Amino acid sequence: EANVIRRRLGDSLGLARSLMGLAVVRARAGEHERSAALMEESLRLCRDLGDEATLAHALARRGDAARAQGHDDRARADYAEALLISQRVGARRVTVMCTEGLAALEGARERSE
């Protein structure tokens, strides 16, 4: 419902954020194709708007979804991009999310250093 309202109002940033949230919910429900489509729309909006903080958050969330599906290379790339952006814009929460995600990937490969 939020997405419908935000589209009607022309609230692109709000739409990008709610699409990201819905993508996370869909991924957790195992609806990976629908999740990916929602996340791609969110990322496109973030890039079009130039909102780097939300872009970093969306990339980190996409990394989480990729890691959960065993797509480690995709997850690593998303976390790395999000980490660079989050550090540049001072999005500390996203920096922590990315660091945790990258550490989990490396820990799974028994590369804890």
Side-chain angles (χ1 to χ4, degrees):
E1 287 181 45
N3 291 342
V4 171
I5 292 167
R6 287 183 166 136
R7 284 184 202 282
R8 188 171 0 128
L9 294 174
D11 178 7
S12 297
L13 181 56
L15 179 60
R17 290 175 178 163
S18 62
L19 287 167
M20 175 180 37
L22 185 56
V24 169
V25 170
R26 297 288 188 182
R28 289 181 182 161
E31 299 174 26
H32 302 295
E33 286 184 31
R34 182 67 181 133
S35 173
L38 292 164
M39 190 59 78
E40 288 308 313
E41 185 178 359
S42 175
L43 289 166
R44 182 186 51 76
L45 285 168
C46 291
R47 290 183 200 284
D48 289 350
L49 294 167
D51 187 310
E52 290 194 311
T54 305
L55 174 62
H57 192 188
L59 285 165
R61 290 297 192 178
R62 187 172 74 173
D64 290 342
R67 182 167 52 97
Q69 293 176 61
H71 302 297
D72 293 355
D73 289 341
R74 170 85 260 165
R76 192 172 286 103
D78 284 342
Y79 288 140
E81 184 180 357
L83 183 60
L84 290 173
I85 296 168
S86 68
Q87 289 176 326
R88 183 174 58 243
V89 300
R92 292 181 182 165
R93 180 173 171 247
V94 177
T95 298
V96 170
M97 289 172 61
C98 295
T99 303
E100 289 175 340
L102 288 166
L105 287 169
E106 294 308 307
R109 294 173 58 195
E110 297 184 13
R111 295 176 53 161
S112 59
E113 69 278 358

